Amino acid sequence: MKVVKNPKELMKILRKEKRSIGFVPTMGALHEGHLSLIRQSCKENEITVVSIFVNPTQFLPGEDFSRYPRKYEADKKICELAGVDYLFMPSVEDIYQKDEVLVKAPKIKGYILEGYNRPGHFDGVLQIVNKLLNIVKPTRAYFGKKDAQQLYLIEKMVENFYMDVEIVPCDIVRESDGLAMSSRNVYLSEEERKRALLLSKSLKRAGKLIMQGEKDVEKIREEMFKVLEKVEIEYIEVVNKNLDKIKSVEKGNSIILVAAKVGNTRFIDNLWI
Ligand code: AMP
């Protein structure tokens, strides 16, 4: 595995590549969720590029940019063992200039749900993903369904800017008790972890109700609010794959989304129906 820091150096190497390129962008502190994306990329492409970059522009003032876990040495080993060909680890200065051209999230879909609670977050996400896709020019790029709105907006950007890449959505990987894997789980004390588990429990409850034939979104949300009594809920919403709110669950075209604060940290989780 080759570790590359400079964007132009990586471009030079990859432009000579004739093989198919799979790309997995991450912010590091790698866990099984990231690994599942990396494994899928290795299976479906001749070479795999992983990036690790804690992107400052997607953090709002007061968010956890400076304390976000950074585990560069462990991450390198994980990537090497997983069969990654190129690990791209630029610094902020390698990636950003002063006063640069900006990508903007769409005015509606970029400012609901996560975007409502973190206004401007998706501008930063799209700015970095746009740069990374242009640097790597992958055949396929892998994104987790855990960040459902991010996935939607990246698919939109690719469509709107006619970018030549296949976006591959990947299933959510969970701990054995159901907690969705996240680099932010390390912030949790034992007591907080129990409360964080309520997010996936509320989704499980919703899934069970739907299996029993319940379709009414308000009834499903009501039950989820009950499960989530002990956390600071930001939103519980049921949307279709276009992120429009729906009144009745439609199998194959519904996503149940939840966001809540546990201690000082926000957590998100969702269930695709
Ligand atoms: P991050 O490092 O948090 O920016 O995540 C990098 C990529 O991994 C994103 O596409 C995430 O959606 C994805 N990801 C993060 N956690 C999980 C998980 N538990 N299961 C599946 N994919 C995940």
Side-chain angles (χ1 to χ4, degrees), residues 25-27 31 33-34 37 68 143-144 146-147 171-173 181:
T26 80
M27 297 207 298
H31 50 66
H34 299 116
L37 273 57
Y68 194 85
F143 292 90
K146 168 148 183 294
D147 299 281
D171 288 339
I172 301 175
V173 178
M181 297 229 177

Side-chain angles (χ1 to χ4, degrees), residues 34-261:
H34 299 116
L35 261 177
S36 73
L37 273 57
I38 295 172
R39 289 198 196 101
Q40 193 171 339
S41 170
C42 290
K43 215 184 285 169
E44 295 175 354
N45 302 277
E46 288 161 292
I47 68 166
T48 287
V49 180
V50 171
S51 66
I52 294 180
F53 181 65
V54 183
N55 175 39
T57 63
Q58 71 188 68
F59 289 80
L60 269 58
E63 287 188 350
D64 57 343
F65 172 68
S66 53
R67 71 173 185 133
Y68 194 85
R70 288 159 173 89
K71 300 185 176 166
Y72 297 131
E73 286 312 309
D75 287 350
K76 267 189 213 171
K77 284 192 189 120
I78 290 171
C79 287
E80 178 119 53
L81 287 172
V84 171
D85 298 274
Y86 295 99
L87 177 57
F88 181 42
M89 297 176 82
S91 67
V92 173
E93 294 71 33
D94 288 322
I95 287 287
Y96 284 110
Q97 295 176 358
K98 276 190 192 142
D99 193 27
E100 52 179 42
V101 175
L102 300 171
V103 184
K104 298 287 282 174
K107 288 201 173 75
I108 298 169
K109 299 287 163 74
Y111 287 86
I112 55 171
L113 305 165
E114 283 303 284
Y116 180 78
N117 290 280
R118 305 177 73 190
H121 165 68
F122 288 118
D123 290 349
V125 169
L126 296 176
Q127 185 78 4
I128 188 62
V129 173
N130 193 314
K131 282 171 185 271
L132 292 171
L133 290 176
N134 281 324
I135 294 166
V136 178
K137 287 213 181 296
T139 319
R140 298 180 189 86
Y142 296 79
F143 292 90
K145 289 181 178 175
K146 168 148 183 294
D147 299 281
Q149 190 175 9
Q150 167 176 290
L151 172 63
Y152 169 88
L153 292 172
I154 290 167
E155 282 174 337
K156 270 284 159 233
M157 177 174 72
V158 164
E159 186 186 335
N160 292 162
F161 290 168
Y162 302 94
M163 298 168 83
D164 194 11
V165 56
E166 181 190 336
I167 301 298
V168 184
C170 302
D171 288 339
I172 301 175
V173 178
R174 298 176 179 282
E175 304 277 1
S176 54
D177 59 4
L179 185 73
M181 297 229 177
S182 163
S183 303
R184 289 192 168 98
N185 289 351
V186 297
Y187 297 150
L188 294 167
S189 69
E190 214 171 295
E191 181 275 327
E192 287 170 339
R193 197 187 178 290
K194 279 187 198 142
R195 277 191 289 142
L197 199 54
L198 294 173
L199 275 80
S200 60
K201 279 196 176 148
S202 73
L203 291 167
K204 241 187 237 168
R205 176 91 188 97
K208 200 168 165 199
L209 284 170
I210 292 164
M211 290 249 287
Q212 288 165 350
E214 185 60 78
K215 287 199 169 93
D216 188 323
V217 163
E218 272 324 302
K219 286 198 180 130
I220 294 165
R221 287 179 76 231
E222 244 169 62
E223 287 300 309
M224 290 179 69
F225 273 108
K226 282 185 203 158
V227 178
L228 286 164
E229 242 171 18
K230 290 203 176 102
V231 298
E232 208 182 305
I233 302 167
E234 277 190 3
Y235 61 81
I236 298 171
E237 296 293 353
V238 183
V239 298
N240 61 22
K241 284 189 179 162
N242 234 353
L243 302 188
D244 299 311
K245 279 192 198 178
I246 52 176
K247 290 200 163 81
S248 178
V249 170
E250 188 190 323
K251 286 200 178 130
N253 189 27
S254 306
I255 313 170
I256 307 176
L257 303 152
V258 53
K261 248 180 129 179

